[in-house]
């Protein structure tokens, strides 16, 4: 099939004002792409630049690295290999536990070298595996929506992320694997159903917070996660959810009231107050929004707690976020 020209747009949705998937946001970059067998490709150098990844390798072997993720692509091969290595503290033993994953995925089409001498990679799954939120064709332009993870600035994101989706070849096998001493992949990935595929993006700092809360405020007892990561499709199906939720960034989790979330909220809220009468406020107007901790090294490992109780049912649960925070929209 013939190769045709197209456009690929990378959109920054960190602090946009419109509704996804077409935010009213001027922070975007438009690059030249190619369409081959209905698959959209972009130069690997453009993907690296727009998603702020390091790029290494040879003329045929491309290695993209971003926030702890190492992604390997080979010209002519549909196999995409992701490597993750990180540590999470087991508070019961006081020791750091090493985790390492190698996930294989199958691309819809193999990377290739075009007549211009440039290497082109399929944008869709490559961008998703690097942590982009959603991709797709909007207003006739193939678009990648990203939170600009790794951007330098006043509030940079130095988190390491574990990322994967239904495109991971052995997803059914690894979904029961542990990402932390007491939390598995299938407890933390998107709970969406229907047409939405399984997708995961979770910061290692979030795993550390879960372990810390379990130890400090649950006395090492069982802790059931109600929601951690949400895909865009999963998030938009939740009434009243912010379309730039920190759940979609892999940096927030909920513990439901029935699973101890009410008591945990009270305990963590007190931690956030420190010696003050109330924590620092940020985000939406009082009484809602987020409280930011005054404690530099709190027992929960969290950074922002959502104010409670919330909703018409006056329900209280624990919603905790890790850095970077809401005030910078990062």
């Amino acid at each position: 099939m013939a190769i045709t020209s197209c456009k690929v747009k990378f959109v920054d949705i960190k602090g946009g004002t419109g509704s996804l998937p077409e935010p009213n946001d001027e922070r975007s970059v438009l690059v030249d792409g190619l369409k081959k067998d209905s698959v959209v490709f972009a130069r690997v150098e453009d993907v690296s630049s727009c998603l702020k990844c390091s790029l290494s390798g040879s003329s045929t072997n491309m290695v993209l690295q971003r926030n702890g993720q190492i992604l390997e692509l080979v010209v002519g091969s549909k196999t995409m290999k992701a490597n993750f290595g990180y540590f999470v503290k087991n508070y019961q033993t006081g020791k750091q536990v090493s985790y390492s994953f190698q996930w294989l995925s199958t691309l819809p089409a193999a990377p290739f070298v075009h007549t211009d001498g440039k290497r082109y990679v399929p944008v869709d799954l490559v961008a998703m595996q690097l942590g982009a939120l959603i991709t797709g064709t909007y207003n006739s332009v193939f678009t990648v929506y990203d939170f600009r993870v790794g951007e330098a600035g006043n509030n940079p994101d130095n988190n390491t992320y574990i990322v994967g989706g239904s495109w991971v070849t052995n997803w059914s096998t690894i979904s029961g694997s542990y990402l932390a001493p007491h939390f598995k992949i299938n407890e933390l990935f998107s709970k969406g159903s229907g047409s939405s595929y399984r997708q995961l993006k979770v910061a290692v700092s979030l795993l550390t917070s879960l372990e810390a809360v379990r130890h400090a405020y649950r006395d090492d007892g069982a802790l059931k996660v109600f929601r951690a990561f949400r895909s865009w499709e999963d998030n938009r199906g939740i009434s009243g959810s912010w379309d730039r939720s920190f759940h979609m960034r892999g940096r927030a989790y909920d513990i439901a009231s029935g699973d101890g979330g009410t008591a945990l909220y009270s305990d963590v809220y007190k931690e956030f107050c420190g010696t003050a009468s109330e924590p620092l406020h940020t985000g939406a107007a009082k009484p809602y929004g987020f409280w930011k901790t005054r404690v530099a090294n709190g027992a929960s490992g969290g950074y922002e707690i959502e104010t409670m109780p919330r909703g018409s049912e006056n329900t209280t649960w624990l919603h905790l976020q890790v850095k970077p925070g809401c005030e910078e929209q990062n």
Side-chain angles (χ1 to χ4, degrees):
M1 184 176 288
I3 298 175
T4 58
S5 299
C6 65
K7 294 292 184 180
V8 179
K9 182 162 65 172
F10 293 83
V11 179
D12 165 23
I13 57 173
K14 183 173 66 174
T17 57
S19 297
L20 295 176
E22 296 186 54
N24 179 21
D25 198 311
E26 296 180 357
R27 292 190 294 274
S28 63
V29 179
L30 191 66
V31 302
D32 293 325
L34 296 172
K35 186 175 287 187
K36 178 183 178 183
D37 297 334
S38 300
V39 178
V40 175
F41 288 78
R43 295 184 182 96
V44 69
E45 290 82 3
D46 288 336
V47 174
S48 172
S49 174
C50 292
L51 295 182
K52 297 179 174 61
C53 310
S54 66
L55 175 62
S56 60
S58 64
S59 59
T60 58
N61 180 54
M62 295 158 282
V63 180
L64 292 158
Q65 187 164 358
R66 184 193 201 202
N67 286 75
Q69 306 163 57
I70 301 174
L71 191 62
E72 299 178 42
L73 304 165
V74 178
V75 169
S77 172
K78 290 185 178 182
T79 298
M80 178 170 66
K81 183 178 180 180
N83 296 287
F84 305 85
Y86 60 94
F87 291 88
V88 178
K89 184 176 181 180
N90 184 337
Y91 286 85
Q92 288 177 274
T93 64
K95 296 181 179 180
Q96 297 284 344
V97 182
S98 174
Y99 292 87
S100 178
F101 290 98
Q102 291 188 349
W103 296 354
L104 297 178
S105 305
T106 301
L107 294 167
F112 65 92
V113 177
H114 192 42
T115 54
D116 60 5
K118 299 291 185 179
R119 298 164 295 177
Y120 284 77
V121 297
V123 179
D124 190 1
L125 297 192
V126 171
M128 295 289 276
Q129 182 59 69
L130 288 168
L133 178 62
I134 50 174
T135 62
T137 301
Y138 306 104
N139 294 330
S140 302
V141 177
F142 191 86
T143 308
V144 176
Y145 296 94
D146 184 59
F147 284 114
R148 297 207 300 188
V149 175
E151 181 190 54
N154 295 330
N155 203 28
D157 186 352
N158 297 315
N159 285 298
T160 293
Y161 288 91
I162 303 111
V163 180
S166 62
W167 57 85
V168 174
T169 305
N170 57 337
W171 185 260
S172 60
T173 302
I174 65 173
S175 63
S177 301
Y178 282 91
L179 291 178
H182 300 96
F183 298 94
K184 297 179 180 180
I185 290 175
N186 56 23
E187 296 178 81
L188 302 170
F189 61 20
S190 180
K191 300 295 192 294
S193 59
S195 62
S196 65
Y197 45 63
R198 289 299 189 194
Q199 189 178 350
L200 171 74
K201 180 177 180 180
V202 59
V204 173
S205 58
L206 194 78
L207 299 173
T208 299
S209 176
L210 280 166
E211 292 287 346
V213 166
R214 179 182 178 276
H215 177 70
Y217 296 125
R218 198 69 174 216
D219 194 23
D220 294 322
L223 188 63
K224 183 178 179 181
V225 181
F226 177 61
R227 285 190 183 274
F229 175 74
R230 297 177 191 161
S231 67
W232 172 76
E233 186 170 348
D234 185 14
N235 188 72
R236 74 169 179 168
I238 299 173
S239 178
S241 182
W242 184 35
D243 64 5
R244 285 161 182 78
S245 169
F246 280 79
H247 285 283
M248 295 192 295
R249 309 176 200 212
R251 299 203 300 272
Y253 64 87
D254 294 336
I255 307 296
S257 56
D259 297 311
T262 301
L264 287 174
Y265 172 79
S266 178
D267 288 337
V268 178
Y269 182 88
K270 292 174 184 176
E271 170 195 314
F272 271 44
C273 290
T275 58
S277 59
E278 63 180 28
L280 295 169
H281 183 268
T282 185
K286 292 184 179 182
Y288 300 123
F290 300 94
W291 294 115
K292 184 168 64 175
T293 181
R294 292 179 183 269
V295 182
N297 297 296
S300 71
Y303 182 62
E304 288 177 355
I305 186 172
E306 194 170 85
T307 54
M308 295 289 168
R310 300 294 296 270
S312 58
E313 297 180 359
N314 208 35
T315 304
T316 299
W317 68 92
L318 175 65
H319 169 100
L320 202 58
Q321 300 178 178
V322 296
K323 288 185 177 181
C326 185
E327 68 274 21
E328 287 85 5
Q329 301 279 309
N330 199 341

